[in-house]
Amino acid sequence: MKFCIQSRLDPQSNELMGLARSYLEEFGLLFDEENPEIVISIGGDGTLLHAFHRFAHKLDKIAFVGIHTGHLGFYADWKPSELEKLVLSIAKKEYNVVEYPLLEVQVQRNNKESSTYLALNEATIKSPDVTLVMDVELNGNHFERFRGDGLCVSTPTGSTAYNKALGGAIIHPSLQAFQITEMASINNRVFRTVGSSLVLPAHHNCMLKPVNEQQFNMTIDHISVIETDVKAIIFNVANEKVRFARFRPFPFWERVHESFISDK
């Protein structure tokens, strides 16, 4: 088996990276940064996001697993003290692969080629001007004209991240869906939005159409891009999926409790 390691590059993560590589090579596994079968992320959820985008072009061949060297995360669920146990399980191939949905973001332009992105957590769109104004279409039908700070479109696995901070719903990561959450929408006697997060199933799509010609600030997870000459932005549940190596049960709701409720 071939493996690769993504580190947060702090001293503790780098030390664990060296140990993990040494242990796995002793078991006969091959270190391969180009075509790994399993990618070990050492750091936090942000480190795994970097690993995901690093290998986004070959997701069908890779499974991810995370060791956290900070706070317990939703992607990085192994402790540093469990390194040897994890290495042994990888060497013995004692794991199952689970797949979770991703978000596809298509940016259509008037006079340039379109671009397609994949997001593990979420995509956001804001205007460098005071207010973002976008027509929102669901499945080809006009739904609303949004005015506000911006919009966040998240995956189920990303629903506990920025989406939650905006008041969006927490969605179990096994559901094939995506969520649209408003950022400070303008609602008064003249302008009106639905005011609630929308959860769309995999066979639905959302299209945003600019009302005015302007540039937009977009993020795809941790990646920031500036988009100009935008005709429309289309969101779907992607055909691609992210694959995680699971060595033990992953109690999602327990993780939610530990992260947001428990004081232990």
Side-chain angles (χ1 to χ4, degrees):
M1 178 187 290
K2 295 180 288 187
F3 71 96
C4 180
I5 302 175
Q6 181 87 24
S7 170
R8 188 167 58 182
L9 299 179
D10 61 279
Q12 183 186 14
S13 299
N14 284 344
E15 180 182 1
L16 287 170
M17 177 174 65
L19 288 172
R21 177 172 178 175
S22 176
Y23 292 158
L24 287 168
E25 288 180 334
E26 286 179 7
F27 278 109
L29 278 73
L30 300 176
F31 183 78
D32 189 332
E33 294 190 292
E34 299 299 325
N35 297 293
E37 297 165 74
I38 190 165
V39 174
I40 304 167
S41 168
I42 304 178
D45 284 351
T47 309
L48 198 140
L49 284 174
H50 280 80
F52 166 80
H53 284 277
R54 178 181 174 185
F55 294 104
H57 58 294
K58 50 182 64 180
L59 294 176
D60 59 329
K61 300 178 177 64
I62 291 175
F64 297 90
V65 62
I67 301 173
H68 69 87
T69 51
H71 296 292
L72 185 64
F74 284 87
Y75 299 132
D77 58 322
W78 284 81
K79 301 175 184 177
S81 60
E82 299 176 307
L83 176 62
E84 293 185 12
K85 179 180 178 181
L86 175 60
V87 165
L88 188 60
S89 297
I90 293 174
K92 291 183 176 181
K93 298 185 179 180
E94 295 177 342
Y95 62 87
N96 297 314
V97 173
V98 297
E99 296 182 334
Y100 292 148
L102 298 169
L103 180 69
E104 180 185 84
V105 185
Q106 301 176 49
V107 180
Q108 296 182 348
R109 302 181 180 88
N110 292 303
N111 300 306
K112 296 188 226 176
E113 190 174 336
S114 300
S115 298
T116 301
Y117 305 96
L118 286 178
L120 176 56
N121 266 3
E122 76 277 308
T124 68
I125 179 166
K126 300 179 183 179
S127 169
D129 301 323
V130 176
T131 302
L132 175 73
V133 184
M134 283 278 193
D135 279 331
V136 180
E137 292 187 3
L138 302 181
N139 302 324
N141 298 312
H142 184 267
F143 181 73
E144 67 180 15
R145 176 163 289 184
F146 175 85
R147 290 177 173 87
D149 285 358
L151 291 164
C152 174
V153 186
S154 62
T155 67
T157 48
S159 66
T160 55
Y162 191 21
N163 167 77
K164 181 183 180 299
L166 294 170
I170 296 177
I171 301 177
H172 194 279
S174 64
L175 296 179
Q176 304 294 311
F178 66 100
Q179 182 171 184
I180 308 165
T181 302
E182 299 177 352
M183 303 179 195
S185 59
I186 297 174
N187 285 285
N188 51 38
R189 288 184 300 173
V190 179
F191 305 128
R192 180 67 55 190
T193 69
V194 69
S196 299
S197 292
L198 303 176
V199 180
L200 279 67
H203 61 286
H204 286 200
N205 67 73
C206 171
M207 177 183 290
L208 304 181
K209 290 185 175 180
V211 175
N212 305 307
E213 288 188 15
Q214 59 184 133
Q215 72 176 26
F216 301 99
N217 297 336
M218 289 188 62
T219 64
I220 310 295
D221 293 330
H222 61 286
I223 301 169
S224 297
V225 295
I226 296 176
E227 292 288 354
T228 58
D229 192 40
V230 174
K231 178 180 179 182
I233 305 172
I234 304 172
F235 301 92
N236 298 278
V237 174
N239 292 325
E240 300 88 343
K241 299 182 186 299
V242 63
R243 304 167 75 242
F244 290 102
R246 288 282 178 253
F247 300 83
R248 54 194 181 187
F250 183 76
F252 176 73
W253 296 117
E254 288 182 28
R255 185 62 48 78
V256 171
H257 177 82
E258 292 173 4
S259 298
F260 302 116
I261 300 173
S262 177
D263 57 1
K264 295 182 181 179

